[in-house]
């Protein structure tokens, strides 16, 4: 948690961006796994954390635009709670920590909202993603749960995206703390990736590194020898000589800022020549993106520049052919690189995705492509100083996709389908670094995790 002034300033800035009405920011509640008191690990809502900072369930924040007041609604713990959970601060003390002086029991929120509705005031909400909060909003606003999301306020969404997209220095410090944990997770996976080791053991061990730092992974760990499945959460295999292990993981800092890195490593510690050839193309695509990312450039262009490096590299290996620019324009690279270059990162690993990907990553100038592959790019708009983004190109040999494109003769003027047989069972390679856009370019956040062939192989020794 930051100094209280950080939260006061953020709420003030938000107020200036909204014309009138009241904004409701729902904190999260506990969520049961299999019976009410056996709950999932609590994760506070990121927008609530951003403006109200309190990492405690069952709180709701209200920002009143006209009267300039911020209020916190919640209930003090009773003696039963204290017996099971120990002494807890009162709501009033919690409010003081984040500069909110007006605190009220939860049951009073109904009256506040009904009065605002009666007076015809605009009630701003953001799209809820948890069933508990959808039901609470249904009750507070008298809107059927199926329609709640359609009542989301674009004005509030845009105001929040405007603020959260530009990271403050204190937020960068937190992201770097998350990167330091991620570094340990990745280098530990590299050391554990011996022939005969189990994916489960490695995934469990590196998750434990985040937990041992008092935090948790920033998303469920992706770790598999079948790296061609982009988000593979199946960890049931035993590592085999000749295969590669794709590890995509990151941690949260104690204040819930994320890191997100991917490395693809050779089981047993040595890449084959074929693996090195593809690996070095992905590395060149990563480095190209980092070289050109700077304020003012559309991230869509950075994505395309990275795709171009991939096409050039695959053409040199005889897997692709024809004019490189035409191949990218026609989306031919997407057979091998069927996803976007990256996404914003902050309090969420896919930052602010609850507010709508297009509201975060696109704008009136740059709208989402509908071309296969590029359509998955989560952020295409012009990037600005203070943005934090991931750079994560990849090359994958996905049997079902190859089969489909080949049988439908898709982009056959750019792809040497006959040559693809040499890469059956290759898997996939993705590399991912986190970058901060600076005044003139960008810098990698955290110490760069070993990434060249030599660095990876020597870390695995
Ligand atoms: N690292 C997982 C993702 O970006 O979707
Ligand atoms: Mn990512």
């Amino acid at each position: 948690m930051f100094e209280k002034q950080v939260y006061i300033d953020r709420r003030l800035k938000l107020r200036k961006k909204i014309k009138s009405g009241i904004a409701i920011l729902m904190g999260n509640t506990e969520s049961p796994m299999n019976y009410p008191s056996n709950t999932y690990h609590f994760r506070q809502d990121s927008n609530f954390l951003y403006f109200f900072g309190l990492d405690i369930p069952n709180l709701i924040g209200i920002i009143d635009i006209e009267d300039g007041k911020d209020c916190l609604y919640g209930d003090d713990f009773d003696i039963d709670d204290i017996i099971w959970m120990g002494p807890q601060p009162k709501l009033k003390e919690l409010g003081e920590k984040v500069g909110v002086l007006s605190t009220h029991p939860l049951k009073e929120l109904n009256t506040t909202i009904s009065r605002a509705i009666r007076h015809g005031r605009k009630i701003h909400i953001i799209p809820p993603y948890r069933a508990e909060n959808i039901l609470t909003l249904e009750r507070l606003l008298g809107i059927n749960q199926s329609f709640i999301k359609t009542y989301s306020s674009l004005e509030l969404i845009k105001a929040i995206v405007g603020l959260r997209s530009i990271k403050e220095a204190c937020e960068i410090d937190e992201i770097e703390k998350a990167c330091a944990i991620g570094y340990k997770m990745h280098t530990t996976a590299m050391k554990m990736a011996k022939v005969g080791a189990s994916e489960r053991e490695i995934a469990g061990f590196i998750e434990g590194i985040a937990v041992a730092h008092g935090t948790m992974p920033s998303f469920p760990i992706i770790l598999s020898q079948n790296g061609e499945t982009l988000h593979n959460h199946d960890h049931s295999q035993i590592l085999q000589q000749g295969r590669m292990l794709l590890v995509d993981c990151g941690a949260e800092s104690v204040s819930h800022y994320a890191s997100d890195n991917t490395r693809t490593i050779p089981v047993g510690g040595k890449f084959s020549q074929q693996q090195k050839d593809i690996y070095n193309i992905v590395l060149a695509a990563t480095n190209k993106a980092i070289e050109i990312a700077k304020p003012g450039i559309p991230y869509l262009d950075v994505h395309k520049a990275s795709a171009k490096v991939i096409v050039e590299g695959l053409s040199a290996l005889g897997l692709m052919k024809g004019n490189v620019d035409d191949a990218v324009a026609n989306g031919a690279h997407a057979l091998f690189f069927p996803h976007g270059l990256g996404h914003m990162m902050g309090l969420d690993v896919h930052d602010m995705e609850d507010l709508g990907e297009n509201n975060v990553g696109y704008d009136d100038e740059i709208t989402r492509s509908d071309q296969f592959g590029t359509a998955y790019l989560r952020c295409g708009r012009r990037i600005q100083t203070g943005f934090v983004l991931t750079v994560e190109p990849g090359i994958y040999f996905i049997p079902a996709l190859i089969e489909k494109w080949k049988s439908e003769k898709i982009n056959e003027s750019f792809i040497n389908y006959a040559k693809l047989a040499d890469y059956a069972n290759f898997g996939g390679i993705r590399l991912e670094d986190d970058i901060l856009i600076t005044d003139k370019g960008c810098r990698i956040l955290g110490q760069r995790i070993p990434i060249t062939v030599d660095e990876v192989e020597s870390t695995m020794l």
Side-chain angles (χ1 to χ4, degrees), residues 219 222 231 248 260 343 350 392 432:
F219 58 95
I222 295 162
H231 279 179
D248 182 349
D260 180 11
H343 50 85
H350 290 179
E392 49 179 308
E432 179 175 20

Side-chain angles (χ1 to χ4, degrees), residues 6-21:
V6 169
Y7 303 103
I8 294 172
D9 290 347
R10 288 173 178 178
R11 294 191 300 264
L12 262 174
K13 284 185 190 156
L14 185 75
R15 211 175 276 121
K16 286 192 185 137
K17 284 174 174 278
I18 296 183
K19 281 203 221 66
S20 62

Side-chain angles (χ1 to χ4, degrees), residues 24-25 47 124-128 137 152-153 156-157 160 354-355:
I24 306 180
L25 290 161
N47 295 300
H124 300 271
I125 60 164
I126 49 179
L137 285 169
S152 300
S153 158
L156 177 59
I157 289 172
I160 296 177
D354 59 315
L355 301 178

Side-chain angles (χ1 to χ4, degrees), residues 12 23 36 74 147 172 184 229 322:
L12 262 174
F147 303 116
I172 300 300
K184 285 190 196 162
T229 300

